[in-house]
């Protein structure tokens, strides 16, 4: 099942890379929240997103990437690939709020994937560069819920 989902992600982004319109690559770094902070010290993610304009102030899209929770001392790192659908609304000139929901494919052999959701505030510094703040959450029956707060940058092509 994981291989099928990863092939689907590659196919979607193979199409979007050729189109370039609406493609965004982002880097985020942050801290784990809640009791999972006892097991992980840091979280980072690399995102690939493609937005479709519904209007000048409403965008919908798809996204993926990889998220890594860096484990503390005796705990291993945890990695997953989110496959997301998104909605972004421009609330003021350059300021966007958005939400993503989808499925997280665990890259760990003994942990199942499950629901991923995130909320974000984004400011478009220019047509090709933005900064953002985000709350993300990954749920797994095996791990419980891993949540984090992060800050990041994005580059549009």
């Amino acid at each position: 099942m994981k291989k099928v989902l990863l092939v689907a992600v590659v196919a979607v982004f193979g199409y979007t890379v050729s189109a370039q319109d609406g493609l965004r690559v982002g880097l985020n770094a942050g801290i784990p929240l809640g009791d999972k902070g006892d097991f992980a010290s840091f979280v980072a993610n690399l995102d690939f997103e493609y937005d479709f304009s519904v209007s000048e102030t409403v965008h919908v899209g798809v996204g993926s990437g990889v998220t890594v929770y860096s484990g503390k001392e005796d705990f291993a790192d945890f990695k997953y690939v989110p496959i997301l659908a998104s909605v972004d609304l421009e609330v003021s000139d350059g300021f966007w709020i958005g939400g993503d929901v989808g499925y997280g494919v665990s890259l760990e052999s003994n942990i199942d994937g499950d629901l991923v959701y995130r909320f974000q505030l984004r400011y478009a510094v220019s047509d090709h560069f933005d900064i953002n703040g985000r709350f993300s959450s990954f749920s797994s029956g095996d791990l419980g819920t891993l949540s984090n707060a992060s800050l990041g940058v994005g580059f549009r092509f």
Side-chain angles (χ1 to χ4, degrees):
M1 178 66 174
K2 290 179 187 177
K3 289 180 184 177
V4 170
L5 290 173
L6 289 175
V7 167
V9 169
V10 169
V12 167
F13 285 107
Y15 168 76
T16 59
V17 168
S18 67
Q20 291 292 321
D21 188 25
L23 180 64
R24 179 182 179 274
V25 176
L27 291 168
N28 283 62
I31 57 170
L33 300 175
D35 61 349
K36 301 304 183 204
D38 296 339
F39 306 104
S41 57
F42 183 77
V43 64
N45 65 331
L46 171 65
D47 293 326
F48 300 94
E49 302 170 357
Y50 188 81
D51 292 337
F52 303 91
S53 296
V54 175
S55 72
E56 285 188 29
T57 60
V58 179
H59 292 182
V60 297
V62 294
S64 189
V66 65
T67 299
V68 178
Y69 281 83
S70 177
K72 287 184 178 176
E73 297 174 17
D74 295 331
F75 298 98
D77 293 352
F78 173 73
K79 298 170 278 311
Y80 71 91
V81 173
I83 300 170
L84 303 162
S86 66
V87 175
D88 294 308
L89 306 169
E90 187 174 29
V91 294
S92 181
D93 190 32
F95 285 97
W96 294 77
I97 60 170
D100 305 338
V101 65
Y103 186 80
V105 178
S106 171
L107 297 179
E108 310 305 323
S109 61
N110 58 343
I111 299 173
D112 292 334
D114 210 334
L115 175 70
V116 174
Y117 62 91
R118 56 190 190 195
F119 303 99
Q120 61 188 354
L121 297 172
R122 184 179 293 161
Y123 177 68
V125 177
S126 72
D127 287 343
H128 301 287
F129 178 72
D130 65 64
I131 55 176
N132 70 73
R134 175 187 294 175
F135 170 81
S136 301
S137 188
F138 169 83
S139 297
S140 170
D142 300 318
L143 291 177
T145 301
L146 295 170
S147 299
N148 70 78
S150 64
L151 297 173
V153 295
F155 304 93
R156 288 202 178 272
F157 301 94

